[in-house]
Amino acid sequence: MAWRSAVSIDPVASDDRRTDFADTITMIDPGAPAVLIGDLSAQRGDGIFESLGVVDGHVQEVGPHLARLAHSAGLCDLPAPNLAQWRAAIERIAVEAGPGENVIKLILSRGLDQGPAPTAWVTLATAPDSARARRDGVRVVTLDRGYTLDVPARAPWLLLGAKTLSYATNMAAIREAHRRGADDAVFATSDGFVLEAPTASVVLRVGDRFVTPAPQAGILHGTTQLSLFAHLETRGFDTAYENVPIADLETADAAWLLSSVRLAAPIASVDGRDKSIDRALTAEINAYLLAPRD
């Protein structure tokens, strides 16, 4: 990504009654040092983040992303973010976006070890070119996530439903996918159920029915997936959250990886076996996802 702009935030209490947060938001040089060496985001990956797509200056799904930021903060015992302050920071940096596709990232760190308060910033970058993935699809391999379907309920301290900065495992999975000749990975439980991709949700079409793995399995509930399901329901399709066996990735009529920046990338092969792509429906889905959404 080409970093274009950034702001730092001096977090205020979630119940702050003010409406003007200008004095808490500071423009910073995206190419200059901005994080202190003792910040726990850098030392331990101890923090949370969100990535928002920006299309021709319009920031997509601000409300759902802020709600998920607050949810992640609760899971990680971080102070509740003041969502009005974060919205003000998003609006401040969005004016720098301009035409085309960009990405805004929200980052909330626990701050300095033994420090007085969390640290936070918002960045703007040019989005990667996803045209090929949206058109031709992605080849995926299934990788064992290392736990069974019931682990999230038994071990909530694993933070499996939070969007944390600790993405080493996710990036390692993508590197392993590349070593196996694929573009991306799909995590599965040790007892054989689909979870999610390292940076995307998984959606399957079976006839006129669309299915995604249930979030209770310890996956991140995708904002793009939620928006797509709402759109599909207005068109008369059935949508469902279910436990999805790995075999369904191959047998489904079509499948996609969904994320805020890449949008809908059809799955073109699973573990080296080709899968048909519904190009017309994929183009329709991406047209919807590229349109302004609040």
Side-chain angles (χ1 to χ4, degrees):
M1 291 186 186
W3 302 103
R4 300 180 55 186
S5 188
V7 299
S8 64
I9 302 175
D10 182 13
V12 299
S14 61
D15 60 352
D16 192 283
R17 304 300 177 90
R18 72 165 99 182
T19 58
D20 184 0
F21 297 94
D23 61 324
T24 70
I25 301 168
T26 305
M27 293 295 299
I28 58 177
D29 181 352
V35 180
L36 293 175
I37 195 168
D39 196 283
L40 293 176
S41 62
Q43 291 279 352
R44 300 175 184 168
D46 192 357
I48 57 176
F49 77 101
E50 285 289 323
S51 296
L52 291 70
V54 187
V55 181
D56 294 332
H58 180 84
V59 188
Q60 305 280 46
E61 304 282 349
V62 174
H65 279 286
L66 288 176
R68 196 167 65 179
L69 185 77
H71 177 69
S72 294
L75 290 176
C76 296
D77 295 320
L78 285 164
N82 186 311
L83 300 188
Q85 181 189 32
W86 283 86
R87 187 178 288 272
I90 292 168
E91 292 173 354
R92 174 65 186 87
I93 204 167
V95 300
E96 309 288 334
E101 294 185 48
N102 293 275
V103 56
I104 286 177
K105 184 169 287 188
L106 317 179
I107 302 167
L108 175 61
S109 165
R110 202 172 300 276
L112 295 174
D113 196 9
Q114 307 300 321
T119 54
W121 56 99
V122 178
T123 63
L124 172 71
T126 302
D129 184 357
S130 299
R132 185 198 63 79
R134 295 171 188 168
R135 182 187 66 246
D136 300 332
V138 291
R139 300 161 297 167
V140 304
V141 293
T142 55
L143 299 179
D144 189 343
R145 191 67 173 86
Y147 57 78
T148 55
L149 195 64
D150 64 343
V151 161
R154 291 192 289 108
W157 51 87
L158 294 178
L159 304 178
L160 296 175
K163 194 173 179 70
T164 71
L165 292 171
S166 304
Y167 254 46
T169 298
N170 302 59
M171 298 300 99
I174 292 175
R175 292 193 299 272
E176 178 62 22
H178 292 170
R179 280 192 285 269
R180 299 188 187 191
D183 304 303
D184 211 330
V186 171
F187 286 128
T189 63
S190 297
D191 46 352
F193 293 94
V194 174
L195 292 170
E196 60 191 342
T199 62
S201 305
V202 178
V203 171
L204 287 69
R205 178 176 69 80
V206 181
D208 289 337
R209 191 165 177 267
F210 291 79
V211 178
T212 194
Q216 291 83 356
I219 62 177
L220 192 69
H221 204 167
T223 57
T224 307
Q225 172 267 309
L226 282 166
S227 182
L228 176 61
F229 270 26
H231 171 68
L232 292 170
E233 288 161 8
T234 65
R235 295 199 52 217
F237 292 106
D238 291 330
T239 63
Y241 296 89
E242 297 178 351
N243 295 333
V244 178
I246 293 176
D248 288 6
L249 271 179
E250 291 190 53
T251 61
D253 296 313
W256 298 266
L257 300 186
L258 287 179
S259 60
S260 298
V261 178
R262 188 169 54 184
L263 305 182
I267 295 178
S269 74
V270 179
D271 293 327
R273 293 178 287 277
D274 290 343
K275 184 172 185 61
S276 62
I277 294 175
D278 189 332
R279 295 185 182 277
L281 182 56
T282 298
E284 179 185 327
I285 289 172
N286 279 317
Y288 163 72
L289 295 175
L290 283 165
R293 292 176 289 122
D294 296 315

